[in-house]
Structures are given as C-alpha cells and as structure tokens.
C-alpha cells in the first residue's frame, strides 16, 4: 500500500466500521468508547475478514483465481466433520491467535500518533518522507533473529521505503536510515511497543486530524 494512510490506501478502511483508523473521521459513541478497547476480539476475526475481502476482489476480477482459495473452507469442513463443534472451536482459536498476534502489530505500524498527523504528512517534501510520517517502528536496533518475535514488523518503515529488498537486510538498513534522517534533519519517530500500542488505542478512539483533508500527493510529492 504505497499511498500509506490516504484514501488510496486499501488498508486505511480495512477495519472500518469497527475500528476507525482515518484521523479525519469523527467516531460515534461505540467507535470511541467500546471498539478500541475490545480490539483483540475484533482482530480475532482478521483472517476471515481478509479472506472475504480477497474473495470479493477475485469475484470482481481484480485478483487471480487459485484452487488454494478452497483450502480454508475445506479445512474447516474437515474439522467440523471429524470433531463437530469442537473442531470449529479449535480452528477459530488458532485463527484468533494468529489474527490478534499479526494484525495488532500491523495496525501499530500505521496508527501511532505520529502517523495520524495529516498536516505533517501533507507537508512532506517527497514520497519517502511521507512514508516516515505514516509509519511507526519499535525496538530499533534489535538483532535480526530476535526481531522474529515481532515478525520483523518493527522494521516496517524500511519495508515501505525499500519494498523490493529482502527483509533479512531490514535491520542493517534501519541503522543507515537513522543516520540519514539525522544528517538531513528528517524526523523518524520510533518508540517502545507498549507506547505505540497505547497510542494506537488512542487514535482508534480519537480523530487526531479532524476537519483536515489528506493529500495523496502532499508537499513536494
């Protein structure tokens, strides 16, 4: 999603209306006071949400049809046939753990407070700086193998800047990125995973840039 945190970003509305990530949209009472705090339950259905979203795109002809698409429903049918409701419950439990684990960190990558500053993003000098203003990293400097606990998503800004580079190089590029940003006076915001998680909850509940317009091509882009 190269137009990160803009109307052209399909990830931007992926959790709506349950979790609203657009900083320019007012939240209703439920979206403000309930949904941000029960987000693990919502994300437990993330795998199914992604599956259905992809299925819709397949039906529209925007995605390639593959026989592998049948694997998930066939697996669920097999579990239900062999173990009944217990089988379905086991499938949901495994998928819930996967969904909460992955989607929590994926949302942290783009929903920290600095990612919701539309004014700053619109003023970006180029596409690269816009990615820095729309992404968040944590545990900077962590060794490659140790970062596996975060599925290497703590190097996510590097992935946005260099999407074709293998992720095994991200930890090394991150060190260069930090020095380059210092050299050119470009802000690169990082934090602890706990801090960014708390900021994510806050941005779910509160529109940080209300009454502002997100420019896809902001500043010098």
């Amino acid at each position: 999603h190269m137009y990160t945190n803009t109307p052209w970003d399909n990830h931007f509305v992926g959790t709506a209306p349950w979790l609203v990530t657009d900083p320019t949209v007012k939240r209703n009472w439920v979206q403000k006071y309930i949904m941000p705090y029960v987000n693990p339950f919502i994300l437990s259905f993330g795998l199914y949400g992604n599956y259905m979203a992809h299925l819709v795109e397949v039906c529209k002809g925007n995605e390639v049809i593959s026989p592998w698409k049948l694997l998930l429903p066939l697996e669920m049918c097999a579990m239900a046939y062999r173990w009944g409701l217990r089988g379905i419950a086991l499938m949901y439990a495994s998928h819930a753990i996967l969904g909460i684990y992955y989607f929590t960190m994926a949302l942290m990558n783009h929903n920290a407070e600095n990612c919701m500053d539309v004014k700053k993003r619109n003023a970006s000098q180029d596409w690269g700086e816009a990615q820095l203003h729309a992404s968040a990293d944590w545990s900077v400097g962590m060794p490659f193998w140790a970062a596996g606990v975060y599925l290497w998503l703590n190097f996510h800004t590097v992935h946005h800047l260099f999407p074709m580079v293998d992720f095994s190089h991200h930890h090394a590029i991150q060190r260069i990125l930090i020095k380059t940003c210092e050299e050119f006076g470009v802000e690169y915001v990082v934090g602890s995973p706990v801090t960014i998680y708390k900021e994510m909850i806050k941005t779910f509940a509160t529109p940080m840039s209300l009454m502002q317009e997100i420019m896809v091509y902001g500043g010098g882009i």
Side-chain angles (χ1 to χ4, degrees):
H1 52 127
M2 62 183 292
Y3 300 105
T4 317
N5 286 10
T6 74
W8 289 11
D9 182 1
N10 63 317
H11 292 66
F12 207 30
V13 293
T15 55
W18 300 279
L19 296 172
V20 182
T21 59
D22 189 335
T24 68
V25 173
K26 186 177 181 179
R27 277 63 164 160
N28 62 38
W29 190 89
V30 174
Q31 292 167 339
K32 181 178 179 67
Y33 294 107
I34 297 179
M35 292 304 179
Y37 307 100
V38 298
N39 77 83
F41 176 72
I42 296 169
L43 298 181
S44 72
F45 295 95
L47 184 147
Y48 309 125
N50 261 26
Y51 182 93
M52 293 306 298
H54 181 263
L55 180 61
V56 169
E57 294 303 313
V58 168
C59 293
K60 289 180 177 179
N62 297 328
E63 293 285 351
V64 178
I65 299 176
S66 169
W68 294 109
K69 193 66 179 176
L70 297 173
L71 187 61
L72 179 62
L74 287 175
E75 185 180 10
M76 296 189 74
C77 288
M79 292 290 285
Y81 177 78
R82 179 63 179 84
W83 286 289
L85 290 177
R86 181 169 175 264
I88 295 295
L90 287 171
M91 287 288 289
Y92 167 71
S94 65
H95 295 159
I97 292 170
L98 168 67
I100 295 169
Y101 186 45
Y102 170 74
F103 288 111
T104 294
M105 291 186 290
L107 286 166
M108 286 167 61
N109 281 138
H110 298 297
N111 292 279
E113 286 190 37
N114 71 289
C115 304
M116 300 291 103
D117 191 336
V118 170
K119 184 177 180 180
K120 183 185 293 183
R121 190 201 179 282
N122 286 347
S124 299
Q125 299 179 66
D126 54 30
W127 177 85
E129 186 177 356
Q131 297 308 302
L132 289 168
H133 293 323
S135 306
D137 291 337
W138 59 87
S139 299
V140 172
M142 199 173 195
F144 174 76
W145 291 112
V149 70
Y150 297 126
L151 306 179
W152 297 277
L153 288 170
N154 57 315
F155 304 129
H156 199 63
T157 302
V158 175
H159 163 68
H160 271 256
L161 291 171
F162 306 99
M164 300 300 291
V165 175
D166 186 82
F167 76 103
S168 62
H169 301 292
H170 286 180
H171 66 298
I173 295 174
Q174 190 179 62
R175 292 195 294 268
I176 299 172
L177 175 63
I178 292 171
K179 293 180 179 178
T180 303
C181 287
E182 290 176 352
E183 180 182 351
F184 289 92
V186 176
E187 187 177 20
Y188 175 33
V189 179
V190 297
S192 72
V194 173
T195 298
I196 292 178
Y197 182 81
K198 290 179 179 178
E199 290 182 358
M200 178 185 72
I201 300 299
K202 181 180 178 180
T203 63
F204 284 161
T206 308
M208 308 298 288
S209 297
L210 199 60
M211 303 298 291
Q212 296 188 44
E213 182 180 1
I214 303 172
M215 306 297 293
V216 175
Y217 297 103
I221 299 177

